[in-house]
Amino acid sequence: KAGVTQTPRYLIKTRGQQVTLSCSPISGHRSVSWYQQTPGQGLQFLFEYFSETQRNKGNFPGRFSGRQFSNSRSEMNVSTLELGDSALYLCASSSLGTSGIVDNEQFFGPGTRLTVL
Amino acid sequence: AQKVTQAQTEISVVEKEDVTLDCVYETRDTTYYLFWYKQPPSGELVFLIRRNSFDEQNEISGRYSWNFQKSTSSFNFTITASQVVDSAVYFCALSVWRDDKIIFGKGTRLHILP
């Protein structure tokens, strides 16, 4: 079974630009979560999608958005990039149970390292 | 609000020594889940264990063991007979029931010296 894949692995952008990151979950997994990892703030939850609906959102500005497609693949978009957006963006998928995501193990992808210049 | 504290920022031990990584959590919920993840230099988070708040049994998996104590809100992780391949950043995390996000601690960077 293929793991979670994220593309691209590395990305360099300049301030003011926008970026789209992609995440393909493990086959059969319908829940996809996104996390931002920085040296200063550590790992922080961005949002979670299940069946094309955003179910939960972390404390990030509206410049951060996402979506999920019918095949469970997910994209996250960051508009008007700032230097502080430089981070490792991790995606995780899980086979959601009836009681919610926390009942199930989350499988993480390798991440996309975004550098904003 | 939930919070996870990993007071040890960085630890170095010599190979074959035992090492314990501390984790203290805060939550007012009675139903919650605790996790440990390993992040090797490659960057990918590797799931190690999940424990729910109603199961205080300690767990052992090979050289890894976990000590969950609700009385002190701690969920410590011990590696016995450490190996160089154990070098990584280890994250403790918390999630409350019916909340889909995981709150991570800042992580402990573990160096196993040959």
Side-chain angles (χ1 to χ4, degrees):
Chain A
K1 209 177 202 181
V4 178
T5 58
Q6 292 187 246
T7 57
R9 292 293 310 280
Y10 302 92
L11 204 50
I12 299 176
K13 291 285 188 179
T14 57
R15 277 182 301 176
Q17 287 187 309
Q18 76 164 20
V19 67
T20 299
L21 312 181
S22 180
C23 171
S24 292
I26 290 172
S27 177
H29 286 191
R30 295 168 62 194
S31 172
V32 173
S33 297
W34 288 90
Y35 296 83
Q36 181 197 63
Q37 186 177 20
T38 60
Q41 299 299 316
L43 270 160
Q44 293 183 286
F45 172 80
L46 278 159
F47 27 64
E48 186 254 348
Y49 286 88
F50 178 75
S51 292
E52 303 178 65
T53 301
Q54 186 182 90
R55 299 200 308 167
N56 208 340
K57 191 176 193 299
N59 191 23
F60 279 81
R63 299 186 297 107
F64 292 81
S65 62
R67 59 176 175 168
Q68 187 180 34
F69 302 94
S70 58
N71 62 359
S72 294
R73 188 177 71 85
S74 177
E75 289 181 347
M76 69 161 280
N77 184 278
V78 188
S79 62
T80 319
L81 284 166
E82 301 177 359
L83 295 178
D85 297 333
S86 294
L88 178 67
Y89 290 89
L90 291 164
C91 163
S93 76
S94 70
S95 55
L96 188 67
T98 54
S99 56
I101 192 173
V102 296
D103 274 356
N104 297 277
E105 174 185 344
Q106 286 196 344
F107 295 84
F108 282 82
T112 294
R113 186 163 294 283
L114 171 65
T115 302
V116 182
L117 303 175
Chain B
Q2 290 80 40
K3 185 180 178 182
V4 176
T5 301
Q6 294 180 257
Q8 304 151 307
T9 306
E10 203 158 345
I11 300 175
S12 294
V13 299
V14 177
E15 196 174 19
K16 297 184 183 177
E17 287 185 354
D18 298 347
V19 58
T20 295
L21 308 183
D22 298 332
C23 173
V24 174
Y25 62 92
E26 295 176 30
T27 179
R28 292 184 178 179
D29 289 78
T30 56
T31 304
Y32 52 88
Y33 296 82
L34 296 164
F35 306 79
W36 275 95
Y37 287 88
K38 174 182 180 179
Q39 188 175 40
S42 61
E44 192 166 335
L45 277 173
V46 177
F47 168 88
L48 295 177
I49 190 172
R50 176 185 62 240
R51 173 68 75 223
N52 73 57
S53 54
F54 298 107
D55 183 3
E56 284 194 76
Q57 275 192 328
N58 291 332
E59 179 149 342
I60 298 175
S61 176
R63 296 183 298 107
Y64 295 170
S65 62
W66 291 270
N67 184 317
F68 177 26
Q69 292 195 339
K70 287 177 76 171
S71 60
T72 56
S73 297
S74 65
F75 187 44
N76 297 337
F77 172 35
T78 298
I79 301 175
T80 303
S82 60
Q83 300 176 1
V84 173
V85 293
D86 295 328
S87 297
V89 181
Y90 290 86
F91 292 94
C92 179
L94 164 72
S95 188
V96 299
W97 190 56
R98 293 203 180 277
D99 190 354
D100 301 325
K101 60 178 179 285
I102 296 179
I103 307 298
F104 287 88
K106 294 290 189 183
T108 297
R109 184 175 297 277
L110 178 62
H111 301 277
I112 307 298
L113 308 172

